[in-house]
Amino acid sequence: MANEFVSKAVIKRLPRYYRYLGELMNEGVEKISSAGLSEKMHVTASQIRQDLNNFGGFGQQRYGYNVKNLHNEIGLILGLDQPKNIIIAGAGNIGKALSKASDFSQHGFNILAFFDTDPAKIDPEKTIPVYDMSSIRDFTSKNKVDIGVIAVPGKYAFKTAHTFIECGIKAIWNFALVDLDPAVPKDVVIESVHLSESLMTLSYNIKASEEKK
Amino acid sequence: MANEFVSKAVIKRLPRYYRYLGELMNEGVEKISSAGLSEKMHVTASQIRQDLNNFGGFGQQRYGYNVKNLHNEIGLILGLDQPKNIIIAGAGNIGKALSKASDFSQHGFNILAFFDTDPAKIDPEKTIPVYDMSSIRDFTSKNKVDIGVIAVPGKYAFKTAHTFIECGIKAIWNFALVDLDPAVPKDVVIESVHLSESLMTLSYNIKASEEKK
DNA sequence: TAGATTGTTAATCGATTAACAATC
DNA sequence: TAGATTGTTAATCGATTAACAATC
C-alpha cells in the first residue's frame, strides 16, 4: 500500500478489476498484461497501470501481472479479507432481495438479522431472523456489526441512520432516496444506491439516443 | 434545450436537482437562487448554474430560479413527461422489490409484467402478471415496452439482453453483474446497478476511514 | 542478451470553480 | 435607479492518456 489518498474514481473501478481478475482466474489464466486486460475491460492500459500503482507495483516488467496474485491484492485493498457483519433495517422487498443475493456472502458479507417496526414481519425463528426495531441496541451490543443497511421507506431513513450511529455502526449502505452524508459524523461512511435516480438517468439517455437518430 | 452533448457527470446530477426542487415545491417555496440551492445541496452555486445552462437559461437575474418552473423543466429534460412502460425479466426478489417501489410509478414508470422461466413463478392473474419467458416476443409485439429490466442471475444476463434487443427494446436497466455495453448495438442504452460493487466500495471506505484515525 | 512490459513522468483533456459583465 | 443574481468566460484543478526510461 503506497499512497495515502486515492481518488474516488479509482476506488470505484477497483471492484470491476477484481471481478475481471476473478473471471480470468476461474478460466485458469495465469498472467495478463495491462494491454491484455485493457482489451477485455475496454479501458486504457495506461489507466490500469496508473490505478494499480496507487497501491503498489503488482506487476513485473516483461511478464505482466499474475492474475491470482493481483486478484488477491485487490481483495486486500477492498478489505474483503475481513468478513463483514451486516444488519438490515427494513424487512421489505429490498431488504429481502439483498439477503438472498449469493454473491455478497461469497465475498465475506454476512447478513445477521433484519429489524423492522411492523409486528407482522417479526419472526426471530427465520434463517435470517427478523427482530423488532426496538431490540437493535441490545443486538448490536452483543454482536459485532460492521454495516447497517437502510432499506426502510424514505421518511424513516434519517431516524434509522441515527439509530445505527447510536449503536456504534460506522458504515451505512443506504437505499433510501435521501442524502445522509451531511447528517452523519465524519467517521461514519455512507454508500448510497439511489435507484430512482438511476432510472431517471436511463430515461434521459433514452431521449438523447432517440434524438441522435 | 441548447447544447448537443452534455457530459455524463452533469446528467447524473440532474435527478438530484429534480429531487431537491420537488421537495422545495412541496414546502411551498416559490423561488430559489443558485446560492440558496447550493447551501441546501452541498454543491457550489457555480456548478448549479453551469449545469443548468447546458440546457438553457432557466433563471432570471435579480430573482433567481422559479422552483416550480425549474422542477418542470428538469422533468422535461429527463423525459419524465413521457410515461415509460417497463417489463422485468426475473420474478425473483430484486424484480419484486422494484415492482413495489412506489416512487417509480409516481414518475411515470409503469411496470407491465414479469417474465420468468421458473414454472412455479408464473401467474398471469397477478396485479403485475408473471408470464413465461417464451411469451415475451408475443407480449412486446402487442405492447409498447420502453425499458427492459434484467433481474435474472448473472449467467442468463446476456441471453436476456439479446432477447430484449430482438424484441425491439431500446433501453435496458441491468441488475446483473455483467458489462452489457460492449455486447449491445449502439442504439440500445444501458444503465447498470452493480450492487456487489457498491458494497465493495463501502468495504474499502470502511478500511480507509479506520486507517485515518 | 534483446525486447516486452512495467512504473512513472509529462502532456492532454475535461470538469469544476472563480470571476465578472450583463441585466432584470 | 441600485444592486442582487444570473449566464458565461476565464482560471484552476484533477483525472486520463501518452510517452518513455527502467528493468526483468
Side-chain angles (χ1 to χ4, degrees), chain B residues 92-158:
Chain B
N93 293 285
I94 306 169
K96 271 191 275 178
L98 297 175
S99 74
K100 294 194 180 153
S102 57
D103 36 341
F104 299 160
S105 58
Q106 273 168 29
H107 292 110
F109 296 99
N110 308 309
I111 297 171
L112 300 186
F114 289 97
F115 291 89
D116 207 299
T117 51
D118 179 358
K121 284 185 181 152
I122 289 160
D123 184 353
E125 304 303 320
K126 278 199 176 161
T127 317
I128 300 175
V130 184
Y131 298 117
D132 190 281
M133 200 68 190
S134 63
S135 64
I136 190 170
R137 279 170 195 78
D138 185 52
F139 186 91
T140 51
S141 67
K142 288 175 184 157
N143 300 272
K144 178 177 172 280
V145 174
D146 303 288
I147 298 171
V149 179
I150 297 184
V152 299
K155 58 180 169 177
Y156 303 121
F158 284 103

Side-chain angles (χ1 to χ4, degrees), chain A residues 174-192:
Chain A
N174 171 46
F175 285 80
L177 198 51
V178 297
D179 297 321
L180 293 177
D181 303 71
V184 137
K186 282 190 308 300
D187 67 333
V188 174
V189 294
I190 306 278
E191 172 78 17
S192 288

